[in-house]
Every structure is written in C-alpha cells, then in structure tokens.
Amino acid sequence: MTLTTARLRLRPLGPAEMQALLEGVPVPGLRWAEDYPLDGTLVAVAMQEDLVKRGVDRGGFCHYQVVLKDEDVVIGDVGFHAPPDELGEVSVGFGIVPAARRRGYAVEALRAVLEWALQQPEVRCIHADTDLVNLASQRVLAAAGMLLAADEGDRKVFEIQRDAA
C-alpha cells in the first residue's frame, strides 16, 4: 500500500526489494539520492527482513522508501520497527539524506505514516525515540504532532496517541 502526500510517494518495500536494497541494488525505475541508503536504512530494513523470515504479518507496518514524486528519486525512509504489540503500541523511525534535509520532507513523510497508523484499530500509541543531542529529529517529531513523553538520559522519547490525532 503506497501512501502519498503533496510532494512524496511512500512506497513499501517487499521482501525481494529489501534483499536488493541490502545488496545495494535500487528498484528498477527509481534512482537513489546521494548517500542513500543511510546507515539507519540498512538497520531498519534488516529488522524488517527478520520479521518476514519469522513469518510476521507486517501489513502496512513496514518500511517505506520516501520518493520525490516529481523526480522518482529515493531521498530516505520512514517506517515501523514492527507491527503493534498487544498494548496497541508501535514504534516509528525516519531518515532523509543530507542533501534533502531542511525542506520539510521528513515531517511530511512522518505525518503520512502517523495518520495512517492512527486510523488502524489495533493502534493506540505510536512512539519514536532520538538521541538527546539530535535536535533536528526532535523538531521533526514535534512538527509531525508527537509530544515529548520521556527524557531517558541520552534519549528522548516522543509519542502520539489515538485520541490526540
């Protein structure tokens, strides 16, 4: 299920595409921006690939490439670490290549997945965490509607709950 925004297309990665990405091969018809995939991309895709290997039904709670609609170029990623747990909680992460930062793409992509997830009946709360010193990510999380929920020393945890959407 592809999600779209005004400027972006968020395309989910299937198992074969995840394997290709980990091998450094782009999907035919798409270009990768300079510095893509990010280190965080590789970690997130490896986590998603592990879920698939264990037979977990990810549904839309997967890894999405962030694609500029007008250029068909992948500039980053947004996605879930796993489907919601038994409490209805799910974690999300994102990353945009350096050359595409400071243009609102991260906020736009994150809002799209948050809006989608909060419409799913099994989701009660969405979490994201970031390094204490990563002020840019903290600004993205706040701009997307997430609130600071915990300060855990070197990490800050943000969340948005169903009733806040």
Side-chain angles (χ1 to χ4, degrees), residues 24 61 114 134 160:
F61 298 98
L114 292 175
N134 192 340
I160 188 169

Side-chain angles (χ1 to χ4, degrees), residues 29-103:
L30 286 179
R31 293 179 296 116
W32 286 353
E34 185 177 343
D35 297 324
Y36 185 85
L38 300 160
D39 290 342
T41 300
L42 300 175
V43 171
V45 169
M47 289 170 51
Q48 287 284 318
E49 188 178 49
D50 182 60
L51 292 172
V52 170
K53 286 179 181 174
R54 289 188 287 127
V56 174
D57 179 11
R58 301 173 305 143
F61 298 98
C62 59
H63 187 85
Y64 296 85
Q65 286 183 321
V66 177
V67 180
L68 292 176
K69 282 199 308 195
D70 294 341
E71 301 174 36
D72 278 337
V73 61
V74 179
I75 60 166
D77 314 272
V78 64
F80 302 94
H81 298 149
D85 64 18
E86 63 280 352
L87 299 174
E89 297 183 1
V90 64
S91 294
V92 68
F94 63 92
I96 300 292
V97 297
R101 292 179 184 161
R102 300 177 154 269
R103 298 180 189 168

Side-chain angles (χ1 to χ4, degrees), residues 133-155:
V133 296
N134 192 340
L135 300 179
S137 285
Q138 292 170 37
R139 285 191 294 270
V140 168
L141 294 167
M146 300 184 86
L147 302 174
L148 182 62
D151 190 337
E152 300 177 345
D154 64 340
R155 309 287 297 163

